[in-house]
Amino acid sequence: MSEPARHSGLGAHRQPGRAERPAEGRHPARRARRAGLRLAAACAAVLTLFTASPAGALPAGGNVRPAGDSTATAEYPVVVTIDTLNPQVAVPNGTVTISGHVTNAGKSAVKGAHAAVRKPNTGRPLDRRSDLANVADRSTPDGRDGVELDSPQYALPELGPGQSQPYTLSVAVGDLGLSASGAYELAVDAWGGTADNPRDRALGIARTFLPYNAGAEAQPTKVATIWPLVHAPVVAAQTSTDGNDQTIAVLRDDSLSAEFAPGGRLYELVDTGAKLNGLTWVIDPDLLDAALAMTRPYRVQKPGTEASGKSAKDDNTVQLQPSAAAVAWLDKLRAAVAKPGSQVVSLPYADPDLASIAHNGSDLTGMTTALSKAATAGRLTVEGRLSVDTRSDVAWPYQGYLDQQIAALAQQAGSGTVLVNGGSMPEADSLNYTPSAARPIGNGQNAVVADETVSALFDRDLSSPQAQTESTQRFLAETFAITHEQPQNQRGLLVMPPRELSATGAKALASALQTADGKWISSVKLDAVAQSAADPKANTAVPAPTDYPTQARASELPADDLSSTDGIQHDLDTLMRVLTLPQRVRGPFSAAMVRSLSTEWRSQPAAGSTYRTGVQKYLKELTGAVQVPKKNVVTLSGDTGLLQVSVRNDLTQTVTNLKLVLTSAQPNRLRVSKEEELVLPASQSVTLRFNAEAHNNGSVLMTAQLWTTGPDSRPYGEPQQFRVEVTSVTNGVLYIFAGAGVLLLLAALRFMRQRKRRGGQPHEDGDQPVGDGPATDGGDAEQDAPRDPEQDATEASSKDGPADPAGPPAPDRTDGPDGAPDDGPAQTPRGSSPDGRDRAASDEKVGP
């Protein structure tokens, strides 16, 4: 059997020499070796039987792996994996040890098989990145994978369907025939037969890449690596207090406790990153605030209450003690980012979704302002928590995808640098090398374009050793090829893993960086790459919005969610106008509003919707705590009197800058006095009295609406409507109304006669409609003694008629010399009752 034919990898298509050579013509040494391998396999099979599991169980020849996990076919039923490679870079006169598994994913037993290393076909390195891609795209044995080496080989026992067997092979670098420095394919195949087809053939293959560093001279590529520390927001808008009246945070869940502990994702990211040189830490400031909150007592919302919008109390939250893991994590992070050569980039606070806002909220004026404020808050938070200088002018849109709308919004928000996925700005096919990552994109803005192939290696499931080795070796091969494309032209490369980089992904990336650093790459911070000279041949065209990836657009926050979140800012501004201690609410709500827009909700849309709903409902609860209690019907007996309207404050701080306005739906029948300004002490109510003048009996709809005072007055809260039943209008008033009616009738008759005289032409100065604007009469507020808030409803009383049956008579007051009520009485609180609520800064809720 000729060597090329024997190891071609083509199971059913043998070369002519293999088919024409009779069995007895094989080389005696080859026959002896083959017999030895089969004997070893038979011995292993016998050993398997002696160590078999109880009846009915599979033999202990290996672990059972689901066939669905494989990429096997009927022709190639065996799945081969390469789990480890040591060392990861070959050197002259060295040895490479490969370990992995061989799994029978077919339906028939594998018999008389072995695993062996294939020698690269040509002995020449894969100089171009396209060559690496071609190798990676193969899925079945191929003649281009090289020829199988006679040694080493691993004899496999008989493997029933689903069974797996580990293997280890050590091969001398000299036996691989590597001719020069470069990246090579390294393949391990399984060769043998099956019970239903005993023909000797290739059954499966695994491939990886092996850089061979023989000391070739080249300028190392400058590699900047993004190391993200982000997490979906957990801090709620609510706050609470402890027994010492100290403000404590409320979290929507306690997921960070496990993340910060050893083995948790965030712990492993910091622990792994601390060992690397030249990292660029990209940090969500909101995560630091959450960690800091957990270093003190904190509360966690009970499951199912996250969207209720209720104030934090014992019935909907659980208080937890300070987290030692959070304390240790922050300390570990501070030490890691302080390492020389590292850089810290602070994302805008809570990492708002730039792409969603650009595409679906560009017409919302508050969004750009919110982004600018989030950038400033992010920088101050990171610098304050970590005691390190940061950059806050770097935008990182979702997955790095960029278009013209996103670039424009980033610039408006103050971001002069944008981290971009290479898929958004691909290079021309005619460019036969990898250009530097930095490039201008217009209007003074710069993009740092990440290599799409390299970055994607760590944006996948890397939980298995096989996947980790595959990504690590491909990274080494790609960067080696990039450096040697133009060995004397030093370029800059950006590696951009996913935002929520996994712990295993971080370890694989760290392993690759440590292996290549100081050889053909040089790990540097982002600035070193961003400030490099741009390659004039690199693509600088920013895609149009129509070229934005459809899949990425599908997960964006819709316009309705952005609009409702933008409305939070308007409602918050309204609430701020009336609070005497606005700092209790401004900080928590401003942060919560930006958290509602977080990019991290892309992977958790349901949780994001719940969070936004909770914020909106909580703000509505706070705003609604200052209100006009509902009232249905009020009786006004007589033609003049007072309408009493109560306003209640259930907040735990005094509110001011408010006025109450009563509006009559029929002012020609019932007029009320001007609006009344008011001050409401905490957890109390006041009653205002408005002069009313009735001109007719019957029912009139009245609206009570709170308004803010000062410039740009706006409605506060929901209006309350009630009906005023006017009874017993005096005879004198009726006579006046009757007389007025007669006069109107006479005027109408005169008008008709004049019209007839002029041939039916209308009079130029005809009657104008009676105005129905609000009355301008003065009104007054009156003090009430404390009583049940349920009695603080709108009441009416007459100076001549009986008291309103809906409530007790109004208290006596001093009248002026003409018998009219004296103007300008002082307001006094009513219904005062403490609510046991925290009054510390940055804390507000509705009292019980």
Side-chain angles (χ1 to χ4, degrees), residues 141-167:
D142 191 291
R144 294 169 293 177
D145 295 316
V147 295
E148 191 181 82
L149 292 174
D150 289 339
S151 177
Q153 292 189 359
Y154 185 90
L156 296 170
E158 180 175 325
L159 297 176
Q163 287 187 294
S164 179
Q165 176 69 30
Y167 72 86

Side-chain angles (χ1 to χ4, degrees), residues 157-338:
E158 180 175 325
L159 297 176
Q163 287 187 294
S164 179
Q165 176 69 30
Y167 72 86
T168 299
L169 296 168
S170 293
V171 59
V173 173
D175 292 341
L176 294 173
L178 311 183
S179 60
S181 292
Y184 293 82
E185 176 189 356
L186 182 64
V188 174
D189 68 3
W191 196 282
T194 58
D196 61 352
N197 183 4
R199 180 170 54 87
D200 201 26
R201 66 193 189 279
L203 300 175
I205 194 168
R207 303 174 181 87
T208 190
F209 296 99
L210 179 67
Y212 177 55
N213 191 14
E217 292 293 331
Q219 290 289 329
T221 301
K222 294 184 293 185
V223 175
T225 303
I226 299 301
W227 204 258
L229 290 180
V230 300
H231 188 277
V234 297
V235 180
Q238 293 92 329
T239 54
S240 184
T241 56
D242 58 16
N244 299 320
D245 208 33
Q246 296 296 311
T247 302
I248 59 177
V250 176
L251 277 58
R252 67 182 180 93
D253 59 44
D254 200 30
S255 58
L256 286 176
S257 290
E259 294 262 15
F260 290 148
R265 187 182 71 88
L266 293 172
Y267 175 91
E268 296 300 332
L269 284 178
V270 174
D271 185 65
T272 302
K275 302 179 179 70
L276 300 176
N277 297 319
L279 275 188
T280 299
W281 300 81
V282 178
I283 302 175
D284 180 0
D286 178 52
L287 175 61
L288 301 183
D289 271 355
L292 186 67
M294 294 174 64
T295 64
R296 301 186 284 264
Y298 62 100
R299 283 187 172 269
V300 173
Q301 293 175 334
K302 292 182 178 179
T305 65
E306 301 90 340
S308 68
K310 297 298 182 182
S311 298
K313 300 177 183 177
D314 289 338
D315 63 345
N316 57 16
T317 60
V318 176
Q319 183 160 335
L320 300 177
Q321 295 305 307
S323 168
V327 174
W329 185 81
L330 280 173
D331 289 341
K332 194 176 189 69
L333 178 59
R334 291 187 186 103
V337 299

